PDB file of all heavy atoms in Angstrom:
ATOM      1  N   THR B  44       0.797  -1.225   0.000  1.00 77.00           N
ATOM      2  CA  THR B  44       0.000   0.000   0.000  1.00 77.00           C
ATOM      3  C   THR B  44       0.827   1.271   0.000  1.00 77.00           C
ATOM      4  O   THR B  44       0.334   2.329  -0.382  1.00 77.00           O
ATOM      5  CB  THR B  44      -0.918   0.028   1.233  1.00 77.00           C
ATOM      6  OG1 THR B  44      -0.105   0.048   2.420  1.00 77.00           O
ATOM      7  CG2 THR B  44      -1.826  -1.192   1.262  1.00 77.00           C
ATOM      8  N   GLY B  45       2.079   1.177   0.455  1.00 72.00           N
ATOM      9  CA  GLY B  45       2.912   2.372   0.543  1.00 72.00           C
ATOM     10  C   GLY B  45       2.773   3.109   1.850  1.00 72.00           C
ATOM     11  O   GLY B  45       3.362   4.177   2.030  1.00 72.00           O
ATOM     12  N   TYR B  46       1.993   2.578   2.774  1.00 65.00           N
ATOM     13  CA  TYR B  46       1.856   3.222   4.080  1.00 65.00           C
ATOM     14  C   TYR B  46       1.546   2.145   5.121  1.00 65.00           C
ATOM     15  O   TYR B  46       1.165   1.021   4.789  1.00 65.00           O
ATOM     16  CB  TYR B  46       0.750   4.289   4.075  1.00 65.00           C
ATOM     17  CG  TYR B  46      -0.623   3.762   3.715  1.00 65.00           C
ATOM     18  CD1 TYR B  46      -1.504   3.315   4.698  1.00 65.00           C
ATOM     19  CD2 TYR B  46      -1.049   3.721   2.386  1.00 65.00           C
ATOM     20  CE1 TYR B  46      -2.764   2.840   4.374  1.00 65.00           C
ATOM     21  CE2 TYR B  46      -2.300   3.251   2.051  1.00 65.00           C
ATOM     22  CZ  TYR B  46      -3.154   2.811   3.054  1.00 65.00           C
ATOM     23  OH  TYR B  46      -4.402   2.341   2.716  1.00 65.00           O
ATOM     24  N   THR B  47       1.712   2.497   6.395  1.00 63.00           N
ATOM     25  CA  THR B  47       1.438   1.559   7.476  1.00 63.00           C
ATOM     26  C   THR B  47      -0.068   1.389   7.632  1.00 63.00           C
ATOM     27  O   THR B  47      -0.798   2.373   7.800  1.00 63.00           O
ATOM     28  CB  THR B  47       2.038   2.061   8.799  1.00 63.00           C
ATOM     29  OG1 THR B  47       3.454   2.242   8.627  1.00 63.00           O
ATOM     30  CG2 THR B  47       1.796   1.066   9.919  1.00 63.00           C
ATOM     31  N   VAL B  48      -0.532   0.155   7.570  1.00 64.00           N
ATOM     32  CA  VAL B  48      -1.961  -0.121   7.678  1.00 64.00           C
ATOM     33  C   VAL B  48      -2.301  -0.253   9.168  1.00 64.00           C
ATOM     34  O   VAL B  48      -2.305  -1.339   9.739  1.00 64.00           O
ATOM     35  CB  VAL B  48      -2.344  -1.401   6.901  1.00 64.00           C
ATOM     36  CG1 VAL B  48      -3.853  -1.633   6.958  1.00 64.00           C
ATOM     37  CG2 VAL B  48      -1.885  -1.298   5.457  1.00 64.00           C
ATOM     38  N   HIS B  49      -2.584   0.892   9.808  1.00 57.00           N
ATOM     39  CA  HIS B  49      -2.797   0.906  11.252  1.00 57.00           C
ATOM     40  C   HIS B  49      -4.087   0.198  11.655  1.00 57.00           C
ATOM     41  O   HIS B  49      -4.200  -0.328  12.762  1.00 57.00           O
ATOM     42  CB  HIS B  49      -2.855   2.351  11.759  1.00 57.00           C
ATOM     43  CG  HIS B  49      -1.546   3.073  11.646  1.00 57.00           C
ATOM     44  ND1 HIS B  49      -0.436   2.715  12.374  1.00 57.00           N
ATOM     45  CD2 HIS B  49      -1.177   4.131  10.884  1.00 57.00           C
ATOM     46  CE1 HIS B  49       0.570   3.532  12.078  1.00 57.00           C
ATOM     47  NE2 HIS B  49       0.147   4.391  11.180  1.00 57.00           N
ATOM     48  N   ARG B  50      -5.085   0.219  10.772  1.00 65.00           N
ATOM     49  CA  ARG B  50      -6.414  -0.250  11.155  1.00 65.00           C
ATOM     50  C   ARG B  50      -6.640  -1.725  10.865  1.00 65.00           C
ATOM     51  O   ARG B  50      -7.749  -2.209  10.919  1.00 65.00           O
ATOM     52  CB  ARG B  50      -7.473   0.610  10.470  1.00 65.00           C
ATOM     53  CG  ARG B  50      -7.441   2.052  10.970  1.00 65.00           C
ATOM     54  CD  ARG B  50      -8.267   2.967  10.093  1.00 65.00           C
ATOM     55  NE  ARG B  50      -8.242   4.323  10.602  1.00 65.00           N
ATOM     56  CZ  ARG B  50      -7.284   5.198  10.371  1.00 65.00           C
ATOM     57  NH1 ARG B  50      -6.245   4.834   9.639  1.00 65.00           N
ATOM     58  NH2 ARG B  50      -7.331   6.406  10.860  1.00 65.00           N
ATOM     59  N   GLY B  51      -5.586  -2.444  10.499  1.00 74.00           N
ATOM     60  CA  GLY B  51      -5.663  -3.890  10.467  1.00 74.00           C
ATOM     61  C   GLY B  51      -6.093  -4.531   9.181  1.00 74.00           C
ATOM     62  O   GLY B  51      -5.630  -5.615   8.849  1.00 74.00           O
ATOM     63  N   LEU B  52      -7.006  -3.885   8.443  1.00 86.00           N
ATOM     64  CA  LEU B  52      -7.457  -4.527   7.217  1.00 86.00           C
ATOM     65  C   LEU B  52      -7.859  -3.500   6.176  1.00 86.00           C
ATOM     66  O   LEU B  52      -8.190  -2.369   6.479  1.00 86.00           O
ATOM     67  CB  LEU B  52      -8.621  -5.491   7.492  1.00 86.00           C
ATOM     68  CG  LEU B  52      -9.978  -4.945   7.949  1.00 86.00           C
ATOM     69  CD1 LEU B  52     -10.811  -4.410   6.787  1.00 86.00           C
ATOM     70  CD2 LEU B  52     -10.762  -6.052   8.647  1.00 86.00           C
ATOM     71  N   LEU B  53      -7.788  -3.953   4.936  1.00 89.00           N
ATOM     72  CA  LEU B  53      -8.319  -3.220   3.795  1.00 89.00           C
ATOM     73  C   LEU B  53      -9.215  -4.181   3.036  1.00 89.00           C
ATOM     74  O   LEU B  53      -8.963  -5.379   2.996  1.00 89.00           O
ATOM     75  CB  LEU B  53      -7.202  -2.728   2.867  1.00 89.00           C
ATOM     76  CG  LEU B  53      -6.155  -1.784   3.431  1.00 89.00           C
ATOM     77  CD1 LEU B  53      -5.026  -1.587   2.415  1.00 89.00           C
ATOM     78  CD2 LEU B  53      -6.784  -0.445   3.775  1.00 89.00           C
ATOM     79  N   ALA B  54     -10.260  -3.665   2.430  1.00 92.00           N
ATOM     80  CA  ALA B  54     -11.147  -4.496   1.624  1.00 92.00           C
ATOM     81  C   ALA B  54     -11.345  -3.850   0.266  1.00 92.00           C
ATOM     82  O   ALA B  54     -11.581  -2.645   0.170  1.00 92.00           O
ATOM     83  CB  ALA B  54     -12.491  -4.698   2.314  1.00 92.00           C
ATOM     84  N   SER B  55     -11.204  -4.646  -0.781  1.00 91.00           N
ATOM     85  CA  SER B  55     -11.506  -4.202  -2.134  1.00 91.00           C
ATOM     86  C   SER B  55     -12.984  -4.470  -2.379  1.00 91.00           C
ATOM     87  O   SER B  55     -13.422  -5.620  -2.386  1.00 91.00           O
ATOM     88  CB  SER B  55     -10.645  -4.971  -3.140  1.00 91.00           C
ATOM     89  OG  SER B  55     -11.000  -4.631  -4.460  1.00 91.00           O
ATOM     90  N   MET B  56     -13.754  -3.403  -2.543  1.00 92.00           N
ATOM     91  CA  MET B  56     -15.211  -3.497  -2.566  1.00 92.00           C
ATOM     92  C   MET B  56     -15.766  -3.216  -3.961  1.00 92.00           C
ATOM     93  O   MET B  56     -15.276  -2.336  -4.674  1.00 92.00           O
ATOM     94  CB  MET B  56     -15.816  -2.467  -1.597  1.00 92.00           C
ATOM     95  CG  MET B  56     -15.278  -2.541  -0.181  1.00 92.00           C
ATOM     96  SD  MET B  56     -15.773  -4.042   0.700  1.00 92.00           S
ATOM     97  CE  MET B  56     -17.545  -3.784   0.828  1.00 92.00           C
ATOM     98  N   HIS B  57     -16.792  -3.951  -4.336  1.00 91.00           N
ATOM     99  CA  HIS B  57     -17.512  -3.665  -5.565  1.00 91.00           C
ATOM    100  C   HIS B  57     -18.281  -2.351  -5.401  1.00 91.00           C
ATOM    101  O   HIS B  57     -19.029  -2.181  -4.436  1.00 91.00           O
ATOM    102  CB  HIS B  57     -18.490  -4.786  -5.890  1.00 91.00           C
ATOM    103  CG  HIS B  57     -17.827  -6.086  -6.210  1.00 91.00           C
ATOM    104  ND1 HIS B  57     -17.332  -6.378  -7.453  1.00 91.00           N
ATOM    105  CD2 HIS B  57     -17.556  -7.172  -5.433  1.00 91.00           C
ATOM    106  CE1 HIS B  57     -16.801  -7.592  -7.448  1.00 91.00           C
ATOM    107  NE2 HIS B  57     -16.917  -8.088  -6.236  1.00 91.00           N
ATOM    108  N   ARG B  58     -18.090  -1.456  -6.346  1.00 89.00           N
ATOM    109  CA  ARG B  58     -18.762  -0.154  -6.290  1.00 89.00           C
ATOM    110  C   ARG B  58     -20.224  -0.323  -6.716  1.00 89.00           C
ATOM    111  O   ARG B  58     -20.506  -0.827  -7.798  1.00 89.00           O
ATOM    112  CB  ARG B  58     -18.050   0.837  -7.219  1.00 89.00           C
ATOM    113  CG  ARG B  58     -18.611   2.239  -7.208  1.00 89.00           C
ATOM    114  CD  ARG B  58     -17.772   3.132  -8.102  1.00 89.00           C
ATOM    115  NE  ARG B  58     -16.503   3.443  -7.453  1.00 89.00           N
ATOM    116  CZ  ARG B  58     -16.312   4.529  -6.707  1.00 89.00           C
ATOM    117  NH1 ARG B  58     -17.284   5.394  -6.532  1.00 89.00           N
ATOM    118  NH2 ARG B  58     -15.149   4.742  -6.136  1.00 89.00           N
ATOM    119  N   PRO B  59     -21.173   0.103  -5.865  1.00 89.00           N
ATOM    120  CA  PRO B  59     -22.583  -0.073  -6.216  1.00 89.00           C
ATOM    121  C   PRO B  59     -23.021   0.912  -7.306  1.00 89.00           C
ATOM    122  O   PRO B  59     -22.413   1.969  -7.498  1.00 89.00           O
ATOM    123  CB  PRO B  59     -23.312   0.223  -4.901  1.00 89.00           C
ATOM    124  CG  PRO B  59     -22.390   1.155  -4.186  1.00 89.00           C
ATOM    125  CD  PRO B  59     -20.989   0.734  -4.549  1.00 89.00           C
ATOM    126  N   VAL B  60     -24.077   0.556  -8.006  1.00 88.00           N
ATOM    127  CA  VAL B  60     -24.661   1.450  -9.006  1.00 88.00           C
ATOM    128  C   VAL B  60     -25.408   2.564  -8.281  1.00 88.00           C
ATOM    129  O   VAL B  60     -26.195   2.306  -7.363  1.00 88.00           O
ATOM    130  CB  VAL B  60     -25.622   0.681  -9.929  1.00 88.00           C
ATOM    131  CG1 VAL B  60     -26.298   1.619 -10.914  1.00 88.00           C
ATOM    132  CG2 VAL B  60     -24.872  -0.429 -10.666  1.00 88.00           C
ATOM    133  N   LEU B  61     -25.160   3.817  -8.686  1.00 91.00           N
ATOM    134  CA  LEU B  61     -25.827   4.945  -8.043  1.00 91.00           C
ATOM    135  C   LEU B  61     -27.282   5.020  -8.481  1.00 91.00           C
ATOM    136  O   LEU B  61     -27.624   4.758  -9.633  1.00 91.00           O
ATOM    137  CB  LEU B  61     -25.111   6.250  -8.397  1.00 91.00           C
ATOM    138  CG  LEU B  61     -23.703   6.423  -7.826  1.00 91.00           C
ATOM    139  CD1 LEU B  61     -23.105   7.745  -8.301  1.00 91.00           C
ATOM    140  CD2 LEU B  61     -23.723   6.370  -6.303  1.00 91.00           C
ATOM    141  N   GLY B  62     -28.146   5.420  -7.543  1.00 94.00           N
ATOM    142  CA  GLY B  62     -29.553   5.574  -7.836  1.00 94.00           C
ATOM    143  C   GLY B  62     -29.848   6.889  -8.540  1.00 94.00           C
ATOM    144  O   GLY B  62     -28.978   7.761  -8.682  1.00 94.00           O
ATOM    145  N   SER B  63     -31.070   7.044  -8.973  1.00 96.00           N
ATOM    146  CA  SER B  63     -31.506   8.292  -9.603  1.00 96.00           C
ATOM    147  C   SER B  63     -31.656   9.380  -8.549  1.00 96.00           C
ATOM    148  O   SER B  63     -31.859   9.099  -7.356  1.00 96.00           O
ATOM    149  CB  SER B  63     -32.836   8.085 -10.320  1.00 96.00           C
ATOM    150  OG  SER B  63     -33.871   7.843  -9.377  1.00 96.00           O
ATOM    151  N   VAL B  64     -31.568  10.629  -8.984  1.00 97.00           N
ATOM    152  CA  VAL B  64     -31.771  11.746  -8.063  1.00 97.00           C
ATOM    153  C   VAL B  64     -33.173  11.680  -7.473  1.00 97.00           C
ATOM    154  O   VAL B  64     -33.366  11.826  -6.258  1.00 97.00           O
ATOM    155  CB  VAL B  64     -31.540  13.087  -8.783  1.00 97.00           C
ATOM    156  CG1 VAL B  64     -31.911  14.257  -7.871  1.00 97.00           C
ATOM    157  CG2 VAL B  64     -30.088  13.205  -9.225  1.00 97.00           C
ATOM    158  N   ALA B  65     -34.161  11.453  -8.322  1.00 96.00           N
ATOM    159  CA  ALA B  65     -35.545  11.402  -7.849  1.00 96.00           C
ATOM    160  C   ALA B  65     -35.734  10.317  -6.800  1.00 96.00           C
ATOM    161  O   ALA B  65     -36.416  10.518  -5.785  1.00 96.00           O
ATOM    162  CB  ALA B  65     -36.487  11.179  -9.027  1.00 96.00           C
ATOM    163  N   GLY B  66     -35.124   9.167  -7.025  1.00 97.00           N
ATOM    164  CA  GLY B  66     -35.255   8.077  -6.066  1.00 97.00           C
ATOM    165  C   GLY B  66     -34.573   8.367  -4.744  1.00 97.00           C
ATOM    166  O   GLY B  66     -35.096   8.032  -3.677  1.00 97.00           O
ATOM    167  N   VAL B  67     -33.410   9.006  -4.795  1.00 97.00           N
ATOM    168  CA  VAL B  67     -32.647   9.279  -3.576  1.00 97.00           C
ATOM    169  C   VAL B  67     -33.331  10.328  -2.709  1.00 97.00           C
ATOM    170  O   VAL B  67     -33.311  10.241  -1.475  1.00 97.00           O
ATOM    171  CB  VAL B  67     -31.202   9.702  -3.931  1.00 97.00           C
ATOM    172  CG1 VAL B  67     -30.477  10.261  -2.716  1.00 97.00           C
ATOM    173  CG2 VAL B  67     -30.432   8.515  -4.491  1.00 97.00           C
ATOM    174  N   VAL B  68     -33.943  11.333  -3.326  1.00 97.00           N
ATOM    175  CA  VAL B  68     -34.541  12.424  -2.536  1.00 97.00           C
ATOM    176  C   VAL B  68     -36.031  12.226  -2.275  1.00 97.00           C
ATOM    177  O   VAL B  68     -36.649  13.048  -1.603  1.00 97.00           O
ATOM    178  CB  VAL B  68     -34.310  13.797  -3.208  1.00 97.00           C
ATOM    179  CG1 VAL B  68     -32.826  14.050  -3.416  1.00 97.00           C
ATOM    180  CG2 VAL B  68     -35.076  13.909  -4.519  1.00 97.00           C
ATOM    181  N   ALA B  69     -36.608  11.153  -2.784  1.00 96.00           N
ATOM    182  CA  ALA B  69     -38.038  10.923  -2.569  1.00 96.00           C
ATOM    183  C   ALA B  69     -38.348  10.874  -1.069  1.00 96.00           C
ATOM    184  O   ALA B  69     -37.772  10.071  -0.338  1.00 96.00           O
ATOM    185  CB  ALA B  69     -38.464   9.624  -3.241  1.00 96.00           C
ATOM    186  N   GLY B  70     -39.217  11.745  -0.623  1.00 94.00           N
ATOM    187  CA  GLY B  70     -39.596  11.790   0.777  1.00 94.00           C
ATOM    188  C   GLY B  70     -38.621  12.500   1.685  1.00 94.00           C
ATOM    189  O   GLY B  70     -38.880  12.651   2.887  1.00 94.00           O
ATOM    190  N   ALA B  71     -37.491  12.950   1.167  1.00 96.00           N
ATOM    191  CA  ALA B  71     -36.478  13.606   1.997  1.00 96.00           C
ATOM    192  C   ALA B  71     -36.931  15.002   2.395  1.00 96.00           C
ATOM    193  O   ALA B  71     -37.468  15.755   1.572  1.00 96.00           O
ATOM    194  CB  ALA B  71     -35.155  13.686   1.253  1.00 96.00           C
ATOM    195  N   ARG B  72     -36.701  15.366   3.628  1.00 96.00           N
ATOM    196  CA  ARG B  72     -37.024  16.715   4.102  1.00 96.00           C
ATOM    197  C   ARG B  72     -35.791  17.611   4.140  1.00 96.00           C
ATOM    198  O   ARG B  72     -35.904  18.832   4.022  1.00 96.00           O
ATOM    199  CB  ARG B  72     -37.652  16.653   5.491  1.00 96.00           C
ATOM    200  CG  ARG B  72     -38.965  15.872   5.532  1.00 96.00           C
ATOM    201  CD  ARG B  72     -39.622  15.996   6.890  1.00 96.00           C
ATOM    202  NE  ARG B  72     -40.052  17.381   7.129  1.00 96.00           N
ATOM    203  CZ  ARG B  72     -40.339  17.859   8.342  1.00 96.00           C
ATOM    204  NH1 ARG B  72     -40.197  17.089   9.412  1.00 96.00           N
ATOM    205  NH2 ARG B  72     -40.737  19.104   8.492  1.00 96.00           N
ATOM    206  N   LEU B  73     -34.621  17.020   4.324  1.00 97.00           N
ATOM    207  CA  LEU B  73     -33.385  17.795   4.402  1.00 97.00           C
ATOM    208  C   LEU B  73     -32.316  17.094   3.566  1.00 97.00           C
ATOM    209  O   LEU B  73     -31.930  15.960   3.859  1.00 97.00           O
ATOM    210  CB  LEU B  73     -32.928  17.929   5.865  1.00 97.00           C
ATOM    211  CG  LEU B  73     -31.668  18.752   6.127  1.00 97.00           C
ATOM    212  CD1 LEU B  73     -31.793  20.163   5.547  1.00 97.00           C
ATOM    213  CD2 LEU B  73     -31.395  18.833   7.628  1.00 97.00           C
ATOM    214  N   VAL B  74     -31.865  17.778   2.519  1.00 98.00           N
ATOM    215  CA  VAL B  74     -30.905  17.225   1.567  1.00 98.00           C
ATOM    216  C   VAL B  74     -29.682  18.138   1.525  1.00 98.00           C
ATOM    217  O   VAL B  74     -29.813  19.364   1.541  1.00 98.00           O
ATOM    218  CB  VAL B  74     -31.528  17.111   0.163  1.00 98.00           C
ATOM    219  CG1 VAL B  74     -30.496  16.644  -0.863  1.00 98.00           C
ATOM    220  CG2 VAL B  74     -32.727  16.172   0.183  1.00 98.00           C
ATOM    221  N   VAL B  75     -28.504  17.555   1.470  1.00 98.00           N
ATOM    222  CA  VAL B  75     -27.255  18.310   1.332  1.00 98.00           C
ATOM    223  C   VAL B  75     -26.768  18.178  -0.103  1.00 98.00           C
ATOM    224  O   VAL B  75     -26.708  17.067  -0.644  1.00 98.00           O
ATOM    225  CB  VAL B  75     -26.177  17.784   2.300  1.00 98.00           C
ATOM    226  CG1 VAL B  75     -24.847  18.512   2.079  1.00 98.00           C
ATOM    227  CG2 VAL B  75     -26.631  17.938   3.742  1.00 98.00           C
ATOM    228  N   VAL B  76     -26.410  19.307  -0.714  1.00 98.00           N
ATOM    229  CA  VAL B  76     -25.843  19.315  -2.060  1.00 98.00           C
ATOM    230  C   VAL B  76     -24.410  19.822  -1.959  1.00 98.00           C
ATOM    231  O   VAL B  76     -24.175  20.958  -1.525  1.00 98.00           O
ATOM    232  CB  VAL B  76     -26.652  20.204  -3.019  1.00 98.00           C
ATOM    233  CG1 VAL B  76     -26.006  20.215  -4.405  1.00 98.00           C
ATOM    234  CG2 VAL B  76     -28.097  19.722  -3.109  1.00 98.00           C
ATOM    235  N   LEU B  77     -23.451  18.998  -2.329  1.00 98.00           N
ATOM    236  CA  LEU B  77     -22.032  19.376  -2.305  1.00 98.00           C
ATOM    237  C   LEU B  77     -21.609  19.716  -3.726  1.00 98.00           C
ATOM    238  O   LEU B  77     -21.556  18.840  -4.595  1.00 98.00           O
ATOM    239  CB  LEU B  77     -21.185  18.222  -1.755  1.00 98.00           C
ATOM    240  CG  LEU B  77     -21.568  17.701  -0.364  1.00 98.00           C
ATOM    241  CD1 LEU B  77     -20.639  16.561   0.043  1.00 98.00           C
ATOM    242  CD2 LEU B  77     -21.536  18.819   0.676  1.00 98.00           C
ATOM    243  N   GLU B  78     -21.315  21.000  -3.955  1.00 97.00           N
ATOM    244  CA  GLU B  78     -20.962  21.431  -5.300  1.00 97.00           C
ATOM    245  C   GLU B  78     -19.452  21.597  -5.454  1.00 97.00           C
ATOM    246  O   GLU B  78     -18.835  22.467  -4.812  1.00 97.00           O
ATOM    247  CB  GLU B  78     -21.639  22.762  -5.654  1.00 97.00           C
ATOM    248  CG  GLU B  78     -21.431  23.108  -7.128  1.00 97.00           C
ATOM    249  CD  GLU B  78     -21.574  24.580  -7.457  1.00 97.00           C
ATOM    250  OE1 GLU B  78     -21.208  25.431  -6.620  1.00 97.00           O
ATOM    251  OE2 GLU B  78     -22.024  24.879  -8.577  1.00 97.00           O
ATOM    252  N   ASP B  79     -18.857  20.766  -6.290  1.00 95.00           N
ATOM    253  CA  ASP B  79     -17.461  20.905  -6.715  1.00 95.00           C
ATOM    254  C   ASP B  79     -16.484  20.981  -5.552  1.00 95.00           C
ATOM    255  O   ASP B  79     -15.454  21.662  -5.635  1.00 95.00           O
ATOM    256  CB  ASP B  79     -17.301  22.140  -7.603  1.00 95.00           C
ATOM    257  CG  ASP B  79     -18.116  22.056  -8.880  1.00 95.00           C
ATOM    258  OD1 ASP B  79     -18.738  21.004  -9.117  1.00 95.00           O
ATOM    259  OD2 ASP B  79     -18.150  23.043  -9.628  1.00 95.00           O
TER     260      ASP B  79
END
C-alpha cells in the first residue's frame, strides 16, 4: 500500500450502481448538495 496499515485490514469493494436523483430524494425533508 505504501503506508502503514494501522487499522488492520483493507477491503476491495464492488462499487454499487448509483440511484436516480428522484429516487434518492423521494420523501427527503433535508438534503445536502455538495458542489465541486
Side-chain angles (χ1 to χ4, degrees):
T44 63
Y46 59 91
T47 302
V48 183
H49 293 294
R50 294 168 179 83
L52 67 80
L53 300 171
S55 175
M56 306 292 294
H57 294 277
R58 183 177 286 267
V60 176
L61 292 178
S63 68
V64 173
V67 168
V68 303
R72 299 187 66 198
L73 182 55
V74 175
V75 176
V76 178
L77 304 180
E78 188 202 34
D79 298 355

